[in-house]
Amino acid sequence: MHIKIGKLALLLFCLQGSAFAQQNGPLTLQEVIHLAQTQSLEAKATETKIRGRKLELEASKNSLLPDAKLSGQYLAMTSPDVKLQIPLSSSSDPMDIKANQLLLGQASISMPIYTGGKIKNSIAAAGNAVKAEEYTALALKDQLAQRGINLFISLYKAQQTALLMEENIKRAEQRVIDFRAMEANGIIPRNDLLKSELQLSNYKVALQEAEKNKAVLNYELVNFLKLDEGTHISAIQLEDPEVAVRSSDAQIALNNRNELKALQAQHDIAENKVNIEKANALPKIAVSGGYAALDVHNLLTVKNAMNVGVGVSYDIGSLYKNKKNVNIARNQVSQIDENVVIMNDKIKVQVQQANENFQLSVSQKPALF
């Protein structure tokens, strides 16, 4: 039966986590869904992944900021042979210049003003990655809620089976007592008494099996919901609000399935990557500026050497090398588009199954529990 988790959101938000930590207390279906979507390890892991994607988005925006660098050097040198091309005086006496030290300081800043759309698409890809992760998380939470519901109902059935076996054992024990009296008085044959004793034995075996199932399912549900390990869910409540929602319109399901939205976000990411690969074949333009200071001991001193200008870079080789990378990126888009079609068909089948299961559950409802 397909569970439309989104329809329960208003009920879930009013629940408080403190109400679930009680041991040996009742547990409702809405509480199970809420705990499955918030307390399970898988749910917490999805929140960590979303935070990571958001950090990557913020980091990608750094590409819009200018690059700034500072550098400085001090070099000790041997005394080189220095020959000045420009005469310093009319004297013909050679000058003994000991230029054995070098000081160099530089500051530079560069701001990209055109990258062929590479920065823009990189930021857009990071933003779409956040969307994809969020939709994936929502889809996973729906799956976790469904898993919690299945465990909850299985535990309920095991508890009801145990109660039924206990009642059957009481009636069977009384029947054995009555049959023994009747057999002793010759009213019934001994074979009937043996049959009643066998039935009592079978009920006791079935009770043991039900108790085992209760213990296993209780532990599995408690561990899944991250409750205290000693919690014993005894007074389980299976209320009957409109929890099972039938989706008769397949288009509504296609528009609201988080798995499909996640695939669509991945499609957008793949398109961004195609544009990024295309941008690699375009020239890059940046504005740059800098400052430099130079001191060669006993020879040369340069101060306030500032510069500003525009730089252009163009990788000519990308004109014939980058085409394959673009084709690879386009192939990824095609793969995702095919997955979208597959997911659409899968959702339609699930909707049809949900409708049939809903009708079956309605027809069998009086005999279920």
Side-chain angles (χ1 to χ4, degrees), residues 8 16 67 82 85 95 110 144 164 193 241 251 263 274 353:
L8 296 173
Q16 299 296 326
D67 292 327
V82 179
Q85 299 298 323
M95 299 180 61
S110 177
L144 293 173
L164 178 62
L193 173 60
Q251 190 59 44
L263 277 177
V274 171
Q353 290 176 340

Side-chain angles (χ1 to χ4, degrees), residues 54-222:
K54 289 181 177 179
L55 291 173
E56 291 175 2
L57 173 59
E58 294 302 317
S60 68
K61 294 179 181 179
N62 290 338
S63 301
L64 296 172
L65 302 177
D67 292 327
K69 296 180 180 179
L70 288 174
S71 63
Q73 290 182 331
Y74 168 77
L75 301 175
M77 304 182 296
T78 61
S79 297
D81 295 330
V82 179
K83 182 178 181 181
L84 296 177
Q85 299 298 323
I86 301 175
L88 298 179
S89 67
S90 59
S91 174
S92 60
D93 295 334
M95 299 180 61
D96 185 13
I97 301 175
K98 295 182 178 180
N100 56 7
Q101 296 182 30
L102 171 65
L103 289 172
L104 176 63
Q106 289 181 308
S108 64
I109 185 169
S110 177
M111 179 69 181
I113 58 176
Y114 178 75
T115 60
K118 185 174 183 178
I119 294 177
K120 177 182 176 181
N121 283 283
S122 296
I123 295 174
N128 288 323
V130 173
K131 293 181 181 179
E133 200 65 59
E134 288 175 341
Y135 287 131
T136 300
L138 291 174
L140 177 59
K141 287 183 178 181
D142 287 349
Q143 295 172 8
L144 293 173
Q146 184 65 60
R147 178 181 169 188
I149 290 170
N150 292 338
L151 285 173
F152 182 88
I153 294 176
S154 296
L155 178 58
Y156 176 82
K157 289 181 178 180
Q159 291 178 341
Q160 296 303 307
T161 300
L163 292 175
L164 178 62
M165 289 302 104
E166 289 175 355
E167 292 297 325
N168 288 341
I169 288 172
K170 290 179 182 179
R171 290 194 294 268
E173 287 176 341
Q174 184 60 47
R175 187 180 184 185
V176 169
I177 293 174
D178 295 340
F179 274 32
R180 282 176 181 171
M182 288 187 288
E183 192 270 339
N185 293 323
I187 299 176
I188 61 172
R190 181 170 179 78
N191 188 48
D192 289 345
L193 173 60
L194 295 176
K195 288 181 179 179
S196 65
E197 290 177 341
L198 177 61
Q199 187 178 48
L200 175 60
S201 177
N202 290 337
Y203 284 150
K204 289 181 178 180
V205 171
L207 177 60
Q208 292 175 345
E209 183 69 19
E211 292 293 343
K212 182 209 71 174
N213 292 337
K214 279 174 54 180
V216 171
L217 290 168
N218 184 88
Y219 180 82
E220 187 174 357
L221 183 58
V222 167

Side-chain angles (χ1 to χ4, degrees), residues 293-314:
L294 173 67
D295 179 67
V296 181
H297 187 59
N298 294 328
L299 178 63
L300 177 66
T301 299
V302 178
K303 295 181 179 179
N304 299 324
M306 293 184 291
N307 62 83
V308 64
V310 177
V312 179
S313 63
Y314 193 11

